[in-house]
Amino acid sequence: MSTAFTTRFAPSPTGRLHLGHAFSAVLAHDAARAAGGRFLLRIEDIDAGRCRPAFTQAILDDLAWLGLTWDADVRRQSDHIADYQRAIDQLRQAGLVYRCFRTRSELAEASLSAPHGRAPVAPSPGPHDPSDEAARLEAGAPYAWRLSLGAALAHISRGAEDIAFTEETLDAGSGPRVVRLDPSLIGDVVLARKDTPTSYHLAVTVDDALQGVTHIIRGEDLFEATHVHVLLQRLLGLPTPRYRHHRLLAGPDGKRYAKRDASVTLDALRSGGATPDDIRRMIGLPA
Ligand code: GLU
């Protein structure tokens, strides 16, 4: 088994896996096996309010039932908070993050609402006035750490135009392409939330490096977020993997599969008599 090709599946245990997850997991697993490389599993459970240990176990059971095997211990993000704190400290020492005490309603009032979900562009409220910050710190007010995009771009010695990633599209007929970093997709993204000492973007970047991931295979809904990850890799001195963003599967009604669709969970399909090969056929992958 070679580490020259290492990929992963990184679900969040906020519900049962559905056909869309199966597509992503099987694509990554099969790519690793075809390359003689490694397939890793990571549980993205930093959001204590939404994640449930029972879903983690169910995810492992569903993947094993599908016939997937992974090549190292499962990495649970909630066990590795110190790794994310170290990354924040590194960015802090370089002056690339600032504390943001603003509440959602304050951001909304200033027309700086966060975009939906994990998609950029993040609002860029800027640091607080130093005396205001000191008073809020003294009062014990909660704060998030935000990337200072302006400081980050100034910090990069060779300029943002040198930063790029390789997208190896899976669509037949189109080869790999180089995608240049587009800072307009980023903003002052939150790297550590008020309630959690990290964020999706920071944890995913740190973990992919620590796990030695060379190829990231995931849904195209995360394509724009890749710009955030690639910038963080440069700022933290981490390697940039190659990316393969795949299309998102949709049901017969044309809508993307979502966690709320109980009928397309692997659990429901399995109870209805489907076999792992049936699932592979349903997601259009060779059985
Ligand atoms: N945890 C993310 C999700 O469930 C995937 C993260 C990634 O593949 O980068 O959508």
Side-chain angles (χ1 to χ4, degrees):
M1 199 188 306
S2 155
T3 52
F5 188 107
T6 298
T7 189
R8 46 50 164 202
F9 178 55
S12 301
T14 54
R16 298 296 302 240
L17 295 185
H18 55 60
L19 287 173
H21 296 114
F23 184 57
S24 218
V26 173
L27 274 179
H29 173 270
D30 290 4
R33 296 292 167 253
R38 295 191 306 155
F39 173 67
L40 306 179
L41 191 55
R42 179 165 79 228
I43 299 293
E44 304 215 317
D45 61 349
I46 49 165
D47 191 340
R50 293 176 60 234
C51 297
R52 301 274 173 276
F55 288 132
T56 298
Q57 192 51 51
I59 287 171
L60 303 183
D61 293 346
D62 284 344
L63 295 175
W65 172 75
L66 262 185
L68 307 193
T69 51
W70 42 95
D71 297 313
D73 290 343
V74 176
R75 182 175 169 95
R76 286 183 176 73
Q77 288 187 325
S78 56
D79 292 339
H80 297 280
I81 296 298
D83 290 332
Y84 315 129
Q85 261 155 355
R86 261 192 297 279
I88 289 284
D89 285 348
Q90 191 181 334
L91 295 171
R92 210 179 137 185
Q93 273 155 23
L96 303 178
V97 286
Y98 62 87
R99 288 187 186 89
C100 179
F101 293 88
R102 295 173 183 88
T103 59
R104 268 171 214 261
S105 56
E106 280 170 344
L107 290 169
E109 249 167 60
S111 301
L112 288 167
S113 292
H116 194 63
R118 292 166 305 193
V121 176
S124 300
H128 296 266
D129 172 283
S131 60
D132 185 35
E133 173 168 322
R136 287 177 195 247
L137 267 181
E138 184 120 332
Y143 56 85
W145 283 107
R146 279 182 186 269
L147 175 73
S148 170
L149 179 63
L153 296 175
H155 177 83
I156 294 162
S157 53
R158 290 207 316 277
E161 58 284 358
D162 280 339
I163 306 182
F165 61 94
T166 302
E167 175 67 27
E168 298 177 344
T169 175
L170 297 170
D171 300 333
S174 43
R177 67 192 166 103
V178 172
V179 182
R180 303 242 153 255
L181 185 85
D182 181 353
S184 74
L185 288 173
I186 301 177
D188 286 2
V189 66
V190 170
L191 298 183
R193 292 162 26 171
K194 283 182 178 170
D195 56 352
T196 316
T198 182
S199 68
Y200 159 69
H201 296 298
L202 184 72
V204 89
T205 303
V206 168
D207 284 344
D208 283 328
L210 288 176
Q211 291 188 288
V213 172
T214 60
H215 290 72
I216 293 182
I217 301 173
R218 63 181 179 192
E220 67 189 9
D221 52 331
L222 291 169
F223 181 80
E224 292 195 339
T226 304
H227 289 261
V228 176
H229 306 165
V230 169
L231 177 59
L232 289 176
Q233 287 152 9
R234 172 65 74 96
L235 298 175
L236 291 165
L238 304 174
T240 292
R242 297 168 87 85
Y243 288 85
R244 295 180 186 175
H245 290 91
H246 60 73
R247 69 195 165 82
L248 299 180
L249 288 194
D253 59 358
K255 288 206 192 112
R256 287 173 185 173
Y257 293 125
K259 283 193 170 141
R260 59 180 178 276
D261 305 330
S263 61
V264 294
T265 62
L266 299 184
D267 178 45
L269 294 163
R270 178 184 180 181
S271 307
T275 65
D277 279 351
D278 292 334
I279 303 290
R280 281 182 173 260
R281 273 188 287 273
M282 290 170 86
I283 57 180
L285 295 176

